[in-house]
């Protein structure tokens, strides 16, 4: 069938600069460039271009530019080019539209409507370069009260706690969705920087067991690669109920991505689809969740915090309360803009609520019920910089998860082609020729650098506020003010309008 | 607690919480116990959950949910009924139930065998998988509720229907729905409408009869019945029609 879809990008090649070295041909995994030997020239198949800019970055003579196709449909607020092209693609395939990365619609980003405070005159700001600053965070259940004996020793038996040096962890990305070299980069960076990385639901490669102290092992509805050794290898066990990019939806890792190594780690035969059911079939209620939480606690002999991750949905606050009562030591909320390796577009773009609102609602609810201390709150879904981190902490989070930011640090240009398995940056693919593009040593350095920058910036932010410990900012919404928000939005966020 | 021989231990579980009971099991197994008898078990969950040695655990009473989940090696025999989630994500070992077992028996099991003398609840054998030399088996002497073998990705599920009366059929609907691996053997017949749409029906080959015969032989040994008599009836085989049932669902 002839496609009516126009190419989305235009490849511009400066003939004077092009030396026909074919770097672009070799770098493009979507076959958008080819060498025409008859004319000794490089040409483009623009239909194939996804706008990942791999060729632009690697062209040694800066001969290339890739721009959005300026093709303009007759202007129409309802029938946007996206709406027209989605229908066209469905008419030509009859399939569910798949996509990668997080929601790209212009839902309000609340971080950009919140501003932070600073000390002026009435209390001094602190210079973090010369004064001690504390970013360390302990994740896990905290007791209602502590008892100390006459020698000053702690009598209360504490639940397992995990110390992280920066309140930013790498979010779940499974081996199979991303490559082993990405996992290695994440694991090494987490170890260097004293934070955690997360296996996602795809098992843990044998080479990575050595990073266990900085690993969160995840189990989801497919239970892929989950066995006693895996559960005890990590420092935290995370039960994934939902994901911000696809609340209520399972996962289908296509057989093409289940290579020999992926098969070994997921413990399924090579080349078979890895289908994660939409629900956990042993969890149909809060009581059932309690059962799996305690199955995990039994399986790890109460030595590790058990984390439970949900997508932020309408009743997140009530659900989170149930999760804490079910024994979750860490509650993870993944918001509307949370990312994915593959999800139906209609789900990604339309289901869930912004993480800022979910976080504020959950923190408020757990405080009201007097159980906020019983679990740490970790939020995920579109955290872009240390400013977002600081605002999340002030809204009540103990720590944040980043995944897209981490992938961008590794080279991702957010072209949203993760679901094709052809990632030219070598990230979201299991094609061995492409995965080699990530060198774990360099990858770990780039990720560590990112965390180091954010850590300096967080200290600057804290210092400016006159705080010397992140703990003093946690849930301290008086350090936030809202801009351009309605009374109801301010009420849910629990912050005052700027100027008041 | 009664220590009958050096490596055989009897524990009275009456009124003991699951956490204490499992702690005790862990201790005893670490000390080299080879056989443990649990008396008066009444609803304690997760028995044997994190054990990874070939210890024999005999349970008298009714163990609670998630019996032997994540288990890797022990042989658990229940003299009574088991509840939901027995063998959840089990890696290796054996669970033998002299009675009924509840819902999601064998959920996501990757290895080991489960024998249930009588009936099982809903969604038994859901998402069982196999991998290299690991191939889980769930043998059900009686009948099953709906969604038996749902999402199956590997392993063997056998439904014997031994307690069905003359002319009575299995009543489960959506048998093997979403199945994309493994095999289901059913003694007797089921109607077309009872099957998931991803499931095909075939006659058993010689190889099938050999595999089936072995498991039925084990079943007969465990529950003291006549394997020959069981095998001397008609069986059907259910298989996944597609290894990638949702391969064509998406537009890229």
């Amino acid at each position: 069938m002839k496609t009516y879809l126009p190419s989305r990008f235009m490849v511009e090649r400066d003939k004077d600069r092009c030396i026909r070295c074919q770097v672009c041909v070799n770098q493009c995994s979507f076959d958008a460039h080819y060498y025409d030997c008859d004319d000794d020239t490089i040409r483009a198949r623009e239909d194939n271009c996804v706008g990942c800019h791999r060729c632009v970055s690697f062209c040694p003579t800066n001969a290339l530019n890739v721009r959005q196709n300026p093709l303009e449909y007759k202007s129409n607020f309802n029938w946007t080019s996206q709406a027209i092209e989605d229908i066209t693609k469905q008419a030509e395939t009859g399939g569910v539209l798949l996509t990668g990365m997080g929601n790209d619609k212009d839902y309000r980003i609340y971080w950009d409507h919140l501003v932070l405070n600073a000390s002026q005159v009435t209390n001094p700001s602190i210079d973090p370069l010369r004064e001690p600053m504390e970013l360390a965070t302990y994740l896990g259940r905290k007791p209602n009260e502590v008892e100390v004996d006459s020698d000053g020793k702690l009598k209360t038996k504490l639940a397992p706690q995990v110390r992280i040096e920066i309140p930013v962890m790498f979010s779940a990305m499974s081996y199979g969705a991303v490559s082993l070299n990405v996992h290695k980069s994440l694991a090494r960076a987490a170890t260097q920087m004293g934070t955690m990385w997360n296996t996602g639901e795809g098992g843990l490669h044998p080479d990575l067991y050595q990073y266990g102290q900085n690993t969160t092992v995840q189990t989801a509805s497919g239970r892929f690669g989950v066995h006693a050794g895996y559960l005890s290898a990590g420092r935290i066990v995370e039960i994934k109920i939902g994901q911000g990019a696809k609340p209520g939806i399972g996962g289908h890792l296509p057989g093409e991505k289940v290579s020999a190594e992926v098969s070994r780690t997921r413990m399924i035969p090579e080349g078979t689809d890895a289908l994660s059911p939409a629900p956990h079939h042993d969890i149909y209620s809060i009581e059932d969740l309690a059962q799996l939480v305690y199955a995990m606690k039994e399986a790890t002999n109460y030595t590790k915090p058990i984390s439970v991750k949900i997508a932020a949905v309408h009743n997140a606050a009530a659900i989170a309360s149930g999760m804490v009562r079910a024994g979750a030591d860490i509650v993870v909320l993944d918001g509307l803009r949370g990312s994915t390796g593959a999800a139906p577009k209609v789900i990604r773009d339309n289901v869930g609520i912004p993480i800022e609102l979910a976080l504020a609602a959950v923190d408020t609810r757990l405080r009201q019920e007097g159980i906020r201390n019983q679990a740490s709150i970790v939020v995920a879904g579109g955290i872009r910089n240390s400013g977002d981190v600081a605002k999340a902490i002030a809204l009540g989070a103990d720590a944040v998860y980043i995944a897209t930011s981490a992938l961008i640090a590794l080279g991702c240009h957010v072209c949203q082609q993760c679901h094709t398995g052809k990632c030219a940056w070598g990230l979201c693919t299991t094609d061995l020729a492409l995965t080699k593009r990530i060198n774990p040593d360099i990858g770990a350095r780039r990720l560590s650098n990112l965390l180091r920058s954010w850590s300096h910036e967080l200290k600057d932010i804290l210092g400016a506020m006159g705080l010397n410990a992140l703990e003093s900012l946690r849930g301290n919404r008086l350090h936030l003010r809202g801009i351009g928000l309605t009374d109801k939005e301010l009420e849910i966020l629990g912050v005052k309008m700027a100027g008041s | 607690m009664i220590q009958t021989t050096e490596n055989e231990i009897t524990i009275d579980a009456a009124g003991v919480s699951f956490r204490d009971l499992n702690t005790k099991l862990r201790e005893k197994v670490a000390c080299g116990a080879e056989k443990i008898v649990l008396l008066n078990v009444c609803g304690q969950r997760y028995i044997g959950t994190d054990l990874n040695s070939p210890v024999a655990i005999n349970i008298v009473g009714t163990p609670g949910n998630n019996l032997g989940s994540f288990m890797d090696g022990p042989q658990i025999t229940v003299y009574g009924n088991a509840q939901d989630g027995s063998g959840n994500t089990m890696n290796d070992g054996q669970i033998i139930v002299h009675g009924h077992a509840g819902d999601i028996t064998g959920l996501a099991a990757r290895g080991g065998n489960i024998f249930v003398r009588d009936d099982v609840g809903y969604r038994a054998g859901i998402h069982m998988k196999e991998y290299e030399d690991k191939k889980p088996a769930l043998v059900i002497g009686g009948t099953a509720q709906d969604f038996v073998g749902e999402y199956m990705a590997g392993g063997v599920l056998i439904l014997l229907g031994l307690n069905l009366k003359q002319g009575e059929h299995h009543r489960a609907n959506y048998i093997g729905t979403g199945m994309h691996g493994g095999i289901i053997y059913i003694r007797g017949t089921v109607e077309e409408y009872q099957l998931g749409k991803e499931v095909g029906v075939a006659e058993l080959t010689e190889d099938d009869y050999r595999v089936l015969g072995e498991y039925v032989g084990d079943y007969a040994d465990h529950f003291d019945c006549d394997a020959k008599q069981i095998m001397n009836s008609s069986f059907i085989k259910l298989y996944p029609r597609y290894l990638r049932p949702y391969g064509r669902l998406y537009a890229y």
Side-chain angles (χ1 to χ4, degrees):
Chain A
M1 194 188 298
K2 165 156 175 58
T3 179
Y4 297 158
L5 287 169
S7 51
R8 290 166 56 219
F9 294 93
M10 289 174 61
V11 179
E12 294 173 348
R13 194 183 320 272
D14 185 328
K15 291 260 178 207
D16 293 339
R17 290 186 175 186
C18 179
I19 54 171
R20 296 180 291 284
C21 64
Q22 300 189 45
V23 163
C24 51
V25 177
N26 296 325
Q27 289 296 321
C28 184
S29 49
F30 293 88
D31 288 328
H33 299 278
Y34 68 99
Y35 177 65
D36 184 336
C37 57
D38 292 338
D39 294 344
D40 183 28
T41 189
I42 312 278
R43 299 188 193 282
R45 297 184 192 97
E46 290 180 325
D47 285 354
N48 290 349
C49 180
V50 298
C52 76
H53 294 102
R54 176 82 182 178
C55 56
V56 177
S57 300
F58 278 73
C59 177
T61 57
N62 291 329
L64 279 171
N65 197 7
V66 169
R67 293 198 302 150
Q68 301 230 33
N69 187 345
L71 165 82
E72 284 183 7
Y73 298 90
K74 179 159 170 39
S75 72
N76 190 320
F77 278 109
N78 196 38
W79 298 104
T80 58
S81 59
Q82 182 88 95
I84 293 171
E85 288 169 15
D86 283 355
I87 289 177
T88 308
K89 196 186 252 188
Q90 292 191 303
E92 291 170 6
T93 61
V96 172
L97 293 172
L98 273 190
T99 188
M101 305 309 299
N103 194 321
D104 58 7
K105 297 282 171 288
D106 62 351
Y107 293 104
R108 173 162 282 179
I109 297 172
Y110 284 91
W111 304 130
D112 297 338
H113 292 264
L114 292 169
V115 288
L116 292 160
N117 196 24
S119 301
Q120 298 292 295
V121 183
T122 54
N123 53 344
S125 49
I126 302 172
D127 185 344
L129 294 177
R130 281 173 291 280
E131 295 189 48
M133 277 282 168
E134 184 67 60
L135 293 185
T137 297
Y138 289 87
L139 298 177
R141 180 168 293 248
K142 310 292 186 291
N144 292 336
E145 53 192 24
V146 285
E147 265 190 277
V148 180
D149 68 16
S150 51
D151 300 334
K153 289 219 175 85
L154 195 62
K155 267 165 77 181
T156 311
K157 194 170 179 303
L158 291 181
Q161 302 288 322
V162 170
R163 178 185 163 120
I164 49 175
E165 303 304 325
I166 171 172
V168 180
M169 303 186 287
F170 298 127
S171 195
M173 290 178 270
S174 71
Y175 176 38
V178 296
S179 71
L180 182 58
N181 283 346
V182 171
H183 264 197
K184 283 183 181 166
S185 305
L186 293 165
R188 287 184 199 174
T191 305
Q192 282 163 18
M193 299 304 295
T195 185
M196 306 293 289
W197 73 288
N198 188 313
T199 60
E201 189 200 19
L204 182 64
H205 192 277
D207 290 357
L208 299 175
Y209 274 71
Q210 56 178 307
Y211 304 106
Q213 280 306 305
N214 294 84
T215 305
T216 295
V217 292
Q218 200 185 59
T219 173
S221 62
R223 307 283 154 87
F224 294 115
V226 176
H227 56 96
Y230 169 77
L231 294 176
S232 50
R235 188 75 188 81
I236 297 174
V237 177
E238 183 167 283
I239 299 169
K240 175 195 166 186
I241 303 293
Q243 184 177 341
K246 43 181 172 180
I249 296 280
H252 293 173
L253 184 74
E256 293 90 358
K257 275 187 145 183
V258 183
S259 62
E261 287 279 286
V262 172
S263 124
R264 196 147 71 101
T265 306
R266 289 210 174 205
M267 301 174 115
I268 51 168
E270 197 177 335
T272 56
D273 281 3
L275 306 181
S276 296
H280 286 251
H281 279 288
D282 48 359
I283 305 177
Y284 288 5
S285 66
I286 291 290
E287 291 75 14
D288 288 350
L289 173 65
Q291 230 181 104
L292 188 61
V293 167
Y294 277 89
M296 293 299 178
K297 290 189 179 190
E298 281 290 330
T300 54
N301 198 9
Y302 300 87
T303 56
K304 299 169 201 301
I306 307 298
S307 166
V308 180
K309 174 179 177 176
I310 58 162
V313 290
H314 302 345
N315 291 323
I319 297 164
S321 162
M323 286 155 67
V324 175
R325 292 168 198 283
D329 302 305
I330 301 169
V331 168
V332 181
L333 305 167
D334 193 8
L336 179 66
R337 289 185 299 275
S339 204
T340 177
K345 188 166 180 285
V346 68
I347 301 289
R348 186 199 72 173
D349 289 354
N350 296 289
V351 184
I353 64 171
I355 190 59
E356 303 90 329
L357 302 178
L359 165 59
V362 167
D363 179 68
T364 302
R365 179 69 169 264
L366 297 186
R367 283 166 186 263
Q368 282 167 351
E369 294 185 3
I371 55 173
R372 177 64 185 84
N373 62 304
Q374 292 181 21
S376 300
I377 298 178
V378 176
V379 296
I383 305 283
R384 303 156 297 174
N385 51 49
S386 58
D388 292 352
V389 178
K391 291 168 191 175
I393 302 289
L395 273 184
D398 287 276
V400 306
Y401 264 142
I402 57 167
T404 301
S405 295
L407 291 178
I408 292 173
L410 291 171
C412 171
H413 277 47
V414 200
C415 72
Q416 308 188 10
Q417 298 300 308
C418 327
H419 60 293
T420 63
K422 292 200 265 190
C423 177
W425 291 91
L427 300 162
C428 205
T429 175
T430 56
D431 179 334
L432 294 176
L434 297 173
T435 58
K436 274 198 292 198
R437 294 181 178 187
I438 296 296
N439 173 332
D441 290 333
I442 298 172
R445 232 166 73 205
R446 297 183 74 98
L447 289 165
S448 296
N449 279 342
L450 177 72
L451 292 182
R452 202 169 290 122
S453 322
W454 286 17
S455 154
H456 286 312
E457 289 175 351
L458 282 171
K459 288 177 181 175
D460 274 341
I461 291 170
L462 285 177
M465 287 175 174
L467 304 177
N468 60 8
L470 193 69
E471 204 55 45
S472 310
L473 179 62
R474 189 156 286 127
N476 192 343
R477 300 188 197 177
L478 285 172
H479 279 296
L480 293 171
R481 288 291 187 275
I483 288 184
L485 298 173
T486 64
D487 286 351
K488 190 70 189 175
E489 286 168 315
L490 291 167
E491 180 195 319
I492 291 168
L493 289 166
V495 299
K496 290 180 176 176
M497 174 71 191
S500 58
Chain B
M1 188 164 39
I2 313 154
Q3 187 133 2
T4 40
T5 68
E6 196 174 327
N7 294 324
E8 186 174 331
I9 290 154
T10 300
I11 299 172
D12 185 354
V16 180
S17 77
F18 71 80
R19 198 168 163 176
D20 294 341
L21 184 59
N22 279 318
T23 307
K24 210 174 270 182
L25 276 179
R26 249 175 247 132
E27 279 170 17
K28 294 300 157 197
V29 170
C31 294
E34 286 164 5
K35 186 174 174 189
I36 299 172
V37 180
L38 302 180
L39 297 176
N40 302 314
V41 172
C42 188
Q44 285 95 341
R45 293 173 174 173
Y46 322 112
I47 294 174
T49 284
D50 66 332
L51 301 181
N52 56 2
S53 66
V55 57
I57 301 173
N58 289 358
I59 296 174
V60 181
T62 309
N65 294 351
N66 279 304
L67 172 71
S69 53
F70 308 105
M71 178 173 93
D72 195 14
Q75 169 156 340
I76 296 181
T77 310
V78 180
Y79 297 97
N81 299 321
Q83 298 195 3
D84 297 345
S86 300
N88 185 347
T89 323
M90 173 162 107
N91 208 42
D92 201 4
Q94 207 162 48
I95 299 178
I96 300 155
V97 182
H98 290 257
H100 301 293
D103 296 344
I104 56 168
T105 298
L107 165 73
R110 182 187 307 116
N113 297 326
I114 303 174
F115 293 89
V116 180
R117 191 189 67 196
D118 304 329
D119 300 334
V120 293
Y122 289 90
R123 298 186 203 268
I126 178 174
H127 214 186
M128 288 205 311
K129 343 178 153 54
E130 61 188 56
Y131 162 71
E132 291 184 346
D133 58 340
K134 291 204 175 299
K135 192 167 191 169
L138 170 58
V139 184
I140 302 155
T143 190
Q145 301 276 12
D146 294 352
F147 294 99
V148 58
E150 181 186 14
Y151 247 125
M152 235 173 103
V156 181
L157 195 154
I158 299 171
L159 199 52
L160 294 175
L162 297 175
N163 58 2
L164 295 176
K165 295 187 192 80
Q166 191 75 34
E168 199 185 352
H169 296 293
H170 294 288
R171 297 218 178 123
N173 285 316
Y174 303 100
I175 298 171
T177 185
M179 184 174 177
H180 54 290
I183 289 289
I184 301 177
Y185 299 115
I186 297 182
R187 185 167 158 273
T189 54
V190 286
E191 300 295 327
E192 180 75 33
Y193 72 83
Q194 292 176 271
L195 302 178
K197 61 184 185 301
E198 294 83 7
V199 171
V201 186
E203 294 197 350
L204 278 69
T205 64
E206 229 168 78
D207 270 354
D208 289 320
Y209 276 112
R210 190 181 47 75
V211 172
L212 178 66
E214 278 177 26
Y215 287 116
V216 168
D218 290 347
Y219 177 91
D221 286 348
H222 294 316
F223 303 119
D224 201 18
C225 51
D226 186 355
K228 270 198 193 131
Q229 201 188 331
I230 299 172
M231 289 301 290
N232 193 18
S233 20
S234 70
F235 282 87
I236 56 165
K237 169 168 94 169
L238 305 184
Y239 66 95
R241 287 163 66 204
Y242 319 102
L243 295 179
R244 302 193 47 197
Y246 308 115
R248 287 166 50 83
L249 183 63
Y250 300 110
Y252 283 86

